[in-house]
Amino acid sequence: MPQTLYSDQKGIPVPNKLLLAASENKKLERIATKSKLTRPIVQRYVAGTTLAEALDVTEQLNSVGIDVSLDLLGESVHDLKQSEAATAEYIRVIEGMAPRSASATVSVKLSQLGIVISSESCEKNLRRLLEAARAHGCEVEVDMEHSSVGRETLEIFRRCHVEYPETRVAIQACMRSTFQDLYEFGDKPPKIRLVKGAFDEKVDVAILDRDDVTAQYQHFAKWALANLPDPAFGTHDDACIETVKRTARELGIDKRSFEFQMLQGVRRELQEELVREGYRVRVYLPYGTEWYPYLTRRMAEKPANLLLFLRSVVGS
Ligand SMILES: Cc1cc2nc3c(=O)[nH]c(=O)nc-3n(C[C@H](O)[C@H](O)[C@H](O)COP(=O)(O)OP(=O)(O)OC[C@H]3O[C@@H](n4cnc5c(N)ncnc54)[C@H](O)[C@@H]3O)c2cc1C
């Protein structure tokens, strides 16, 4: 049974907070989306604007032994029609991807499938996606978003997991509820992607101090290796990666029984090094035109990016 380790009260750094706040600012989004100066940053983290471009990048990654999880950008939908259109687009992604990359998965945010508009419709959309994925021998990964939709995301996932146990869910190590959330799956534990957590959360729901989050991540990683089926570790942090490798060795777990996941554009050399060492590696590969919220969260993970980002927006 996993246990929560920390209950600190320290806040996250101001630059990160600014960027996370910027991720929801529509005015900045309009400026940044139009600006030519943001292009190099976008190209680093995003596979392209079309499915065809994303599939080309998929094949390049596959050729060096790296799997992908395709993510269709666009998390803010405003009505049921848009969420149904996003679901249909995701099904098109599965149909296009399956013949070209047998091991690829798709990652989806339930906000894109309409969770904020209607939980019931969102679940229906997710089930359509899961059915299409199964028909094409492909798997779906459910991203975890801000805590304002996190609980509902987990509940929908939990219901779908009964019929589609092959589905993976992202679990944020920073959340204070993570221990309870995992425990509640009982004797049918899910496949998870363990991540630190990318959203600006309040201290009552999340651990905020980065060192404590790292320690919590390492704690859950050890537990996941010992207790969960085919766990995935979504991290670029050397300390966390080392913990996973060491624990697997100590428990005698085969290198192919779990996977490392990283973001497109981050630590590519490390991704290839892990492949050479015999580990499974999957890159989270976003594509589409609505890159702004995704990209600002990536900027927030590396404070040195703040200046780069501000220059792109202010310089426009
Ligand atoms: C495959 C994958 C899926 C994810 N899915 C989710 C999700 O569903 N929900 C969620 O809340 N979060 C998700 N995240 C984001 C995650 O929560 C973290 O915010 C992010 O991974 C940064 O944490 P880290 O473990 O890499 O450690 P950090 O300590 O943040 O980073 C370690 C090192 O990695 C490098 N690095 C990390 N991020 C970046 C970056 N953006 N740009 C450049 N260098 C960087 C830096 O060198 C840094 O020092 C996902 C991350 C990955 C890798």
Side-chain angles (χ1 to χ4, degrees):
M1 198 190 295
Q3 306 232 332
T4 299
L5 280 182
Y6 289 93
S7 60
D8 79 282
Q9 305 296 315
K10 287 179 246 170
I12 59 174
V14 172
N16 304 53
K17 264 191 174 298
L18 282 176
L19 276 165
L20 288 172
S23 74
E24 290 167 16
N25 186 309
K26 289 289 161 199
K27 197 168 168 200
L28 278 183
E29 175 167 358
R30 275 194 299 277
I31 297 170
T33 309
K34 278 194 202 134
S35 166
K36 284 196 180 92
L37 298 169
T38 51
R39 261 182 217 159
I41 318 174
V42 179
Q43 277 164 358
R44 173 177 171 186
Y45 289 96
V46 176
T49 52
T50 64
L51 177 59
E53 285 171 302
L55 290 177
D56 286 346
V57 178
T58 298
E59 283 182 348
Q60 285 161 24
L61 288 162
N62 286 170
S63 72
V64 291
I66 298 174
D67 290 329
V68 304
S69 189
L70 272 185
D71 166 50
L72 169 63
L73 293 166
E75 47 208 72
S76 52
V77 298
H78 304 291
D79 55 44
L80 288 179
K81 252 198 181 140
Q82 283 181 333
S83 65
E84 278 158 19
T87 309
E89 180 64 18
Y90 256 111
I91 293 174
R92 212 171 64 80
V93 172
I94 290 168
E95 290 166 354
M97 183 186 78
R100 284 180 66 178
S101 182
S103 55
T105 64
V106 291
S107 284
V108 63
K109 289 185 176 43
L110 295 197
S111 56
Q112 203 170 355
L113 303 192
I115 198 169
V116 180
I117 306 154
S118 155
S119 181
E120 210 185 343
S121 305
C122 176
E123 183 167 337
K124 239 187 239 166
N125 287 336
L126 179 62
R127 283 178 186 273
R128 278 181 61 206
L129 207 61
L130 295 174
E131 207 44 54
R134 191 175 268 179
H136 287 83
C138 155
E139 288 172 13
V140 174
E141 311 199 20
V142 177
D143 289 346
M144 190 54 66
E145 300 175 71
H146 188 265
S147 60
S148 52
V149 291
R151 203 101 309 270
E152 195 60 33
T153 299
L154 211 54
E155 274 166 28
I156 293 176
F157 173 82
R158 216 186 284 283
R159 287 195 291 273
C160 294
H161 176 248
V162 177
E163 286 149 72
Y164 302 93
E166 66 273 26
T167 312
R168 194 181 290 284
V169 64
I171 293 285
Q172 297 156 326
C174 69
M175 299 305 288
R176 296 185 193 280
S177 60
T178 292
F179 153 67
Q180 184 67 21
D181 293 341
L182 289 173
Y183 179 61
E184 281 174 6
F185 279 96
D187 59 359
K188 296 253 179 330
K191 296 207 299 191
I192 69 162
R193 172 205 303 150
L194 185 64
V195 296
K196 287 186 181 176
F199 294 85
D200 187 11
E201 300 286 0
K202 296 270 187 299
V203 71
D204 54 333
V205 295
I207 299 162
L208 303 184
D209 180 79
R210 296 313 293 171
D211 291 341
D212 289 351
V213 174
T214 299
Q216 184 82 331
Y217 188 102
Q218 291 167 307
H219 177 67
F220 281 125
K222 289 182 201 165
W223 185 85
L225 277 167
N227 294 285
L228 300 184
D230 188 19
F233 300 97
T235 183
H236 319 91
D237 185 338
D238 289 326
C240 295
I241 291 168
E242 202 37 56
T243 297
V244 172
K245 287 180 174 177
R246 195 183 54 249
T247 308
R249 267 196 311 273
E250 285 167 4
L251 296 175
I253 294 172
D254 187 84
K255 285 177 179 174
R256 312 294 297 174
S257 302
F258 59 92
E259 69 184 32
F260 290 108
Q261 296 194 351
M262 295 190 200
L263 301 172
Q264 168 73 346
V266 182
R267 304 207 67 185
R268 179 62 186 274
E269 280 170 22
L270 175 62
Q271 295 165 15
E272 294 192 17
E273 195 181 309
L274 288 167
V275 169
R276 281 194 297 275
E277 288 173 13
Y279 294 100
R280 279 164 47 202
V281 177
R282 186 178 302 279
V283 160
Y284 185 98
L285 197 64
Y287 83 93
T289 49
E290 292 181 46
W291 45 260
Y292 178 83
Y294 176 84
L295 203 77
T296 42
R297 283 199 300 279
R298 301 294 72 87
M299 301 292 98
E301 285 156 358
K302 192 146 170 94
N305 288 337
L306 176 64
L307 208 59
L308 200 69
F309 179 80
L310 286 179
R311 248 193 246 131
S312 311
V313 177
V314 175
S316 317

